[in-house]
């Protein structure tokens, strides 16, 4: 009897608490309020008193019978909740990344953990919020318990109710690619833009909704708030997309008709009422059965993140996503290092040479070819002579490594065939002497950078992985670029599903055992896992420079990416195409949509510990004065100061090179050009710096006059102001060497 | 011009040929006729002039867009064919199996290879027939060619038009299990029996049609022909089921409503007209997307086999399926050997003890448990003391190996959870000292037999396989029993799909590199691959003895299996349960539906190079006189003579032990009993044999009086006749030791 009374009291208390459980960020600007609204967990978010996320529900729909379309039976984790207890705490710690934009990172937040129970099922879950000065992270936690041990996710239903019809920079939601061109529209215009967005650049693969978009999603409100939704620490969980409820939405997960996503089971409409228009609802990537996840308690979702500020620069300097990831799990990180590299790659992308060695067969089977008897096509790029030239170039110019793609057998018919045994990752083509070339490189202080294109045949890759990594150890490779082009094997799976996210992490963990750094292309968009596994030195997971050879990317592309794709981790964007007009040396009619100097700026504005000098040595040799900046620029930093930023318009950032007093400044702008009044406030007082300014020439233009530039040297000091004109599609790059 | 005329002539010639291209078996009894019927490849089969397969079409429907339900677009390989050329040949070779029912096997057939072209697509395929004295095999071959390099199979449409309403012994077609009870009905009664068949024993998982059945399918015609349909050499291809067209069929692949196959995409009805009633049509196992196969030329289908005779014994002695497989691909087979074993298994099956070590947790994660601190449940069978007792028992009784299930961590929550990281295959429970126990066994001349339950998490198994096999090598294991209980991971895949068939073969091939023999349970039904990979010493792939503890199997079960399941290869049936009444030593209320002597007979009637003495040592110790037969019986043979046979009624077989002059005879019957007049014609003339007869006692009965038996010793010679009464559910067993 006594116990019953106490419980009732607790519930009464907790209901009261639920009415207004508010947590502020350390500086008080960000305020998170949690409540339970008619049994539904609900949160709202304000910034300096302005509404950022209106009251929004949290929950998950579960499937019982192993097929999402037959969901039901299992009680959802959506409503019927009461607050059992809450716990508030504060945290403040400064940690040192193995590599990064700054030498140290402060992780300071106030936390609210809400213990919720669902009395009808005797289950309980925790929703944990961390409130930072630049936004929030929250996640679902599922403790181990009798009534919740294993469960299948039909859909996560996390809402983000926007407070206005913001401008958004978005990609069509897609289960398999994020290489589309970014769209800029009002939220209310997403639906009408979707068809065009899907077709643009022809790179959508498996879109799911007429209002589905990817994260990280950058927005700007009419009253000047910058808001960004993404996720952190996506481990053993499907990648989250967002589906916007707008005035025309009839139910969630409306299927986009037909098209290339034909082999995805139709999602089931949610049984729950629609939230208000301008609300985003989470939409996870399904597996081949349409399910969104198979979970075992204790477990948790990734962190759902909302970054917010009235200063766009805070979007770029934020460490919220890294901070929400677990500390480094690799004990000895001495073998992990930044990498500046060149490689045998761009000439294949442009179409001048080939990855494959022969054109003799309509298709090949690896175990049935005697490569010594095969007729070469004469266009194979990864040959001894050419690789030695690249090694020489790297050695002569201080580059650390040389990537060689197409070195291994199987490129004859590698893509889009659902071919399982596509590569073995250990057998070089006959014209690639792996022993000789590694020895040649090592003698010159250079390493080769391994390439593992998996063709998305993950089963095949995992079968060969140990031998492939052993081969790397044997010959002295310490980094691998991996690729996931084409449809996933096992068939029906998607690039961003729970199982594929598990696969990517498995590769990173196995590579770490071999002291190998990973740069994964076409893999899932990163969510800050590089804090925990700093051997993940790069990802593609966005539209890279290669698209300049496939038809081009918008000039504002690289002043959007730092706000979106780069939130989760560095990108191997492969900048440095100084010969922007491809028809000067190939039959490719396309041109790069930046100026030459704009390419230099990217080494500073697009932060990455792995940077490629992507153009051909012979092109660099025609611009050696400009190439000097690529030689000089650092790839690891003690400090970074974002000086100006506006999404899709311009970014200016100054960075202090690791372990030195030298600074590098990069400015990049969109197709409209930009004028930057660069105040050198960040320099050390009383010190002089040799300043080299790489600037767009007068009348430079990304299309009509891209390769005109000036290089100016002067001595500067703290407080000096440099006026820099950035051409349409251009930018500037500055090195400041401390005397 | 000249070339055109010649082609026309050839086509005219080939059309003429197509009218009647007949191939007879070496003895002339079997006759195969091939023709092209309105562009459709067509075959028929007769035996001694009687129709076995009426004219039946051959072909494949293809999918173009990677999803079966949206098939079309790609031209099918069904019609529009003309015969380009045909080639007839003969073959006669005798080969020696590494282990088997006979020391040598004759492979004699006449072959017809038909080169077909489909002028509308410029494609060509080959259909190859091999005609044996006891049936035929045929397959589709897809040469490498410009217009057919990669293709996706929507469905294979191979027809088998039956000439009458035969009696059939069938299992419900199922993508994931073949552990159901066999049904005996007329073909026309399959549909009405299906619901009951699916529910019987509750072991159906993913059935697909109300007339879908599995192979090998044994039939008997009203005029006394025994007909068996199966397949041989199923490699990198989905397993074939058969779907019967009957009077009520509206279209092929009608989905069985709801049920446990809910996560299988609905098959698409065929666009082609239905064949005549009483025609079986092939139905392949789909992958998670509903597709039936992803092919790259040059490639071929498995052999489709039709065995036929007017003598039921020929069904059992046939080597047609082995002969259709490729010769042994393992160069050194000296490490492959027959195995008689006991093991820690039956007491867990019966429910007396447990695989798992603890009941402390609702679920476990392997990387989060400190096993030294875990509270044991006190029922864990695989403990040092017990395993030593089994080792002692094996050593004292001439058994080669001791299986130990439940030795490794993970059994706490291993099944049906879609749990990926379920076992690591290398970490023993704290009470299983792997080093000590192997040393203890080796000192006594016994080996331990490894157990790898995968829980169907194939990705997890493949990730750990190399380490698991290395562990086996390290401790001196040379055989592994693997298991595939539960739903496949990757989710949505099926036990009998192309990718899973590839997985099973991958395991066998990798095991061979480690000199490890494989005995795979719940894997695909075998198709004779043990000829090519003789380290595949056993499979379960049917309803094994374990079902006697789950409610029982029909007494005729073991006189059906040799006609059906055993056609493709040996079964680890785990016979030898001499204490047939389980409640005498456990709380399990079930009983084994044979007599004690019937269990002895199985060692001879159910051929396998791997035979378990499945009962507990303490049970054997109570029947040591009967157990003597299990000690004596061979597991590898120089000769086998099937003396009597009738499906589901009785089987009597005599076998000559490998490398000796000793014979063993087994007789097994159904629930009606049987009298066998055993003529010892097979013995060597002029030689005397010590004969020990293990016979059912008077009034023995599988249910009411199972353990009454007589053991009689006498001296016999060639020509003697023994009259043996087999009780209902009983049998007999005889050893004949040459003097």
């Amino acid at each position: 009897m006594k116990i019953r009374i106490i419980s009732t009291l607790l519930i009464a208390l907790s209901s009261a608490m639920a009415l207004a459980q508010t947590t502020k960020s350390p500086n008080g600007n960000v305020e998170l309020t949690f409540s339970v609204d008619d049994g539904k967990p609900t949160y709202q978010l304000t910034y300096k008193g302005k509404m950022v996320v209106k009251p929004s529900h949290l929950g998950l729909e579960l499937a019982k019978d192993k097929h999402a379309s037959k969901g039901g039976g299992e009680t959802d984790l959506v409503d019927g909740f009461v607050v059992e207890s809450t716990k508030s705490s504060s945290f403040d710690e400064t940690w040192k990344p193995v590599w990064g934009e700054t030498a140290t990172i402060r992780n300071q937040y106030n936390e609210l953990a809400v213990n919720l129970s669902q009395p009808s099922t005797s289950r309980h879950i925790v929703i944990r919020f961390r409130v930072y000065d630049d936004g929030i992270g929250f996640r679902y936690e599922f403790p181990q318990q009798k009534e919740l041990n294993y469960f299948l996710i039909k859909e996560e239903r996390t809402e983000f109710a926007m407070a206005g019809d913001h401008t958004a920079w978005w990609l069509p939601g897609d289960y398999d690619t994020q290489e589309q061109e970014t769209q800029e529209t009002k939220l209310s215009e997403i639906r009408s833009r979707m068809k065009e967005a899907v077709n643009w650049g022809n790179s959508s693969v498996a879109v799911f909704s007429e209002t589905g978009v990817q994260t990280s999603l950058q927005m700007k409100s009419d009253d000047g708030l910058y808001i960004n939704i993404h996720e952190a620490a996506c481990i053993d969980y499907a990648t989250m997309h967002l589906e916007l409820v707008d005035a025309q939405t009839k139910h969630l997960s409306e299927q986009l008709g037909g098209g290339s996503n034909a082999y995805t089971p139709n999602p089931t409409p949610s049984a729950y009422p629609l939230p208000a228009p301008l609300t985003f609802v989470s939409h996870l990537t399904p597996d081949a059965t349409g399910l969104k996840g198979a979970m075992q308690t204790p477990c948790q979702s990734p962190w759902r993140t909302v970054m917010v500020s009235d200063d766009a620069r805070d979007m770029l300097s934020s460490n919220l996503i890294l901070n929400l990831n677990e500390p480094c799990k690799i004990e000895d990180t001495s073998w992990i290092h930044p990498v500046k590299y060149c490689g045998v790659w761009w000439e294949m992308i442009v179409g001048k040479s080939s990855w494959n060695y022969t054109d003799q067969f309509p298709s090949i089977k690896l175990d049935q070819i005697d490569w010594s008897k095969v007729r070469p096509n004469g266009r194979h790029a990864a040959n001894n002579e050419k690789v030695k030239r690249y090694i020489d170039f790297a050695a002569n110019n201080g580059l650390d490594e040389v990537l060689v793609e197409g070195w291994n057998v199987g490129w004859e018919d590698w893509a889009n065939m659902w071919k399982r045994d596509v590569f073995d990752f250990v057998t070089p083509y006959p014209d690639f002497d792996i022993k000789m070339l590694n020895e040649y490189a090592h003698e010159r202080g250079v390493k080769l950078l391994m390439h593992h294109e998996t063709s998305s045949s993950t089963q095949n890759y995992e079968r060969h992985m140990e031998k492939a990594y052993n081969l790397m150890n044997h010959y002295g490779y310490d980094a691998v670029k991996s690729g996931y082009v084409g449809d996933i094997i096992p068939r029906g799976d998607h690039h961003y599903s729970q199982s594929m996210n598990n696969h990517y992490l498995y590769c990173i963990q196995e590579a770490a055992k071999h002291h190998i750094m990973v740069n994964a292309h076409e893999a899932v968009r990163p969510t800050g896992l590089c804090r925990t596994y700093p051997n993940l030195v790069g990802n593609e997971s966005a539209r890279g420079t290669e698209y300049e050879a496939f038809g081009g990317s918008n000039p504002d592309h690289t002043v959007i990416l730092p706000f979106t794709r780069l939130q989760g981790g560095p990108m191997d964007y492969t900048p440095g195409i100084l010969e922007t007009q491809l028809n000067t040396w190939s039959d490719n009619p396309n041109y790069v949509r930046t100026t030459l100097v704009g390419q230099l700026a990217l080494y500073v504005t697009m932060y990455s510990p792995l940077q490629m000098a992507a153009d051909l040595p012979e092109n660099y040799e025609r611009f050696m004065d400009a190439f000097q900046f690529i030689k000089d620029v650092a790839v690891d930093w003690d400090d970074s100061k974002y000086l100006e930023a506006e999404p899709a318009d311009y970014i200016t950032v100054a960075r202090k090179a690791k372990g030195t007093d030298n600074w590098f400044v990069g400015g990049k702008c969109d197709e409209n050009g930009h004028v930057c009044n660069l105040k050198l406030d960040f320099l050390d007082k009383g010190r002089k710096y040799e300043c080299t300014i790489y600037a767009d020439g007068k009348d430079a233009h990304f299309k009509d006059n891209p390769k005109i530039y000036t290089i100016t040297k002067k001595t500067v000091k703290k407080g000096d102001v440099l006026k820099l004109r950035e051409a349409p599609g251009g930018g500037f790059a500055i090195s400041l060497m401390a005397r």
Side-chain angles (χ1 to χ4, degrees), chain A residues 98-100 333-341 398-401 447 449 478-479 517 534 537 607-611 633-637 658:
Chain A
V98 175
W99 43 260
T333 59
S334 61
W335 50 274
I336 300 171
H337 58 84
V339 176
K340 207 189 294 181
Y341 74 104
L399 305 179
D400 305 301
E401 306 209 352
K447 281 186 192 297
L449 203 163
D478 69 356
M517 298 180 284
V537 291
Y607 166 69
S608 175
L610 181 88
Q611 289 282 22
V633 69
V635 281
D636 198 14
W637 311 97
K658 191 88 156 191

Side-chain angles (χ1 to χ4, degrees), chain A residues 201-214:
Chain A
N202 202 23
S203 52
S204 285
V205 174
V207 291
F208 56 86
S209 162
E210 288 187 4
T211 60
V213 301
Q214 307 197 20

Side-chain angles (χ1 to χ4, degrees), chain A residues 527-546:
Chain A
T527 56
L529 289 181
C530 57
R531 177 182 178 188
T532 314
Y533 303 98
N535 67 319
L536 176 61
V537 291
N539 274 115
E540 184 185 44
S541 312
R543 189 179 184 90
T545 296
E546 61 188 4

Side-chain angles (χ1 to χ4, degrees), chain A residues 401-711:
Chain A
E401 306 209 352
V402 176
L403 167 73
V404 187
E405 294 202 359
W407 68 276
N408 60 322
V409 298
W411 286 91
E412 280 62 32
D413 58 346
W414 64 284
N416 289 315
M417 300 301 185
W418 266 347
K419 178 180 178 180
R420 190 191 58 230
D421 300 329
V422 57
F423 293 109
D424 69 7
F425 309 98
V426 295
T427 308
Y429 280 124
D431 56 350
F432 182 88
D433 185 336
I434 187 168
K435 182 167 184 289
M436 177 275 287
L437 288 169
N438 277 284
E439 286 170 357
Y440 186 85
H442 297 166
E443 281 165 18
R444 282 155 186 73
V446 172
K447 281 186 192 297
L448 294 191
L449 203 163
M450 176 50 76
H451 186 232
H452 289 168
E453 174 56 51
T454 69
S455 190
S456 295
S457 180
T458 63
Q459 187 185 42
N460 180 60
Y461 188 39
E462 291 198 8
R463 285 181 179 178
H464 291 88
M465 190 181 296
E466 179 68 15
K467 279 185 188 141
Y469 287 160
N470 282 336
L471 182 96
M472 289 178 62
N473 286 155
H474 179 73
Y475 286 113
Y477 292 85
D478 69 356
V480 60
K481 172 181 175 180
S482 57
Y484 291 87
V485 170
D487 297 314
I488 301 292
I489 299 176
R491 299 198 292 269
D493 205 352
H494 291 290
H495 280 71
Y496 310 144
S497 70
Q498 180 188 26
S499 58
M500 281 302 297
N501 286 343
N502 175 271
H503 165 83
Y504 306 128
L505 183 55
Y506 176 74
C507 298
I508 294 163
Q509 290 169 327
E510 293 299 303
K513 294 178 190 168
H514 289 265
H515 287 196
I516 288 170
M517 298 180 284
V518 174
N519 165 26
H521 281 228
E522 297 94 19
V524 69
R525 47 187 173 269
T527 56
L529 289 181
C530 57
R531 177 182 178 188
T532 314
Y533 303 98
N535 67 319
L536 176 61
V537 291
N539 274 115
E540 184 185 44
S541 312
R543 189 179 184 90
T545 296
E546 61 188 4
Y547 277 83
E548 302 285 16
F550 303 160
S553 295
N554 287 337
D556 63 3
H557 184 54
T558 52
V559 282
I560 296 171
L561 287 176
F563 287 93
T564 55
R565 160 64 183 80
L566 266 57
Q567 295 293 1
M571 177 174 178
D572 183 26
Y573 185 73
T574 66
I577 306 300
L578 301 192
E579 180 46 88
T580 64
Q581 290 161 307
L582 307 182
N583 65 1
T584 57
W585 61 275
S586 77
D587 297 331
N588 190 313
N590 294 295
Y591 64 96
V592 178
R593 287 163 202 229
T594 71
T595 63
L596 182 151
V597 168
Q599 289 289 313
L600 301 181
L602 297 176
Y603 290 87
V604 191
T605 60
M606 297 272 289
Y607 166 69
S608 175
L610 181 88
Q611 289 282 22
M612 187 175 197
D615 211 342
L616 274 53
E618 49 264 46
N619 288 335
Y620 286 132
E621 280 156 9
R622 293 190 291 115
F623 302 103
M624 282 310 280
D625 55 352
F627 181 70
Q628 185 66 40
F629 182 78
I630 299 177
K631 290 173 66 170
D632 292 340
V633 69
V635 281
D636 198 14
W637 311 97
D638 276 335
D639 203 4
S640 290
K641 295 197 179 297
Y642 287 90
L643 305 171
E644 299 180 298
E646 185 62 25
D649 287 347
Y650 53 81
I651 293 172
T652 305
V653 59
R655 302 189 195 271
K656 188 177 181 188
K658 191 88 156 191
T660 76
D661 289 319
N662 303 328
W663 288 76
F664 295 84
V665 188
K668 184 77 191 73
C669 67
D670 65 1
E671 69 281 7
N672 297 316
H674 180 64
V675 176
C676 172
N677 287 298
L678 180 67
K679 289 179 194 160
L680 301 178
D681 290 345
F682 47 83
L683 297 179
D684 283 345
K685 193 169 174 181
R687 191 146 192 190
K688 292 201 171 164
Y689 296 81
E690 299 290 353
C691 172
T692 308
I693 302 167
Y694 302 78
D696 289 319
K698 192 164 173 288
D699 302 326
H701 186 282
F702 68 92
K703 182 175 181 193
D704 303 322
N705 198 10
K707 290 177 288 188
I708 181 169
Y709 58 94
T710 63
I711 300 177

Side-chain angles (χ1 to χ4, degrees), chain A residues 90-159:
Chain A
S90 291
F91 188 85
D92 189 2
E93 177 193 70
T94 297
W95 58 279
K96 288 187 182 182
V98 175
W99 43 260
E101 297 187 75
T102 53
T104 60
I105 292 177
R106 186 173 184 186
N107 184 13
Q108 185 192 18
Y109 57 82
N110 293 325
E111 179 173 292
L112 172 69
V114 185
N115 290 292
L116 292 158
S117 74
Q118 192 181 40
S120 68
T121 63
S122 302
R123 294 168 170 177
H124 57 109
I125 66 171
V126 175
I127 302 181
R128 189 178 303 274
F129 296 90
R130 290 185 179 165
V131 185
Y132 292 83
D133 288 339
D134 53 3
I136 60 167
F138 61 87
R139 69 178 182 185
Y140 303 92
E141 297 178 359
F142 310 96
Q144 191 178 54
Q145 55 196 288
K146 189 162 166 288
E147 299 300 331
L148 194 64
N149 255 293
Y150 293 90
F151 61 100
L152 300 167
I153 298 174
K154 183 182 168 194
E155 187 59 277
E156 182 184 320
R157 296 296 185 194
T158 298
E159 299 176 1

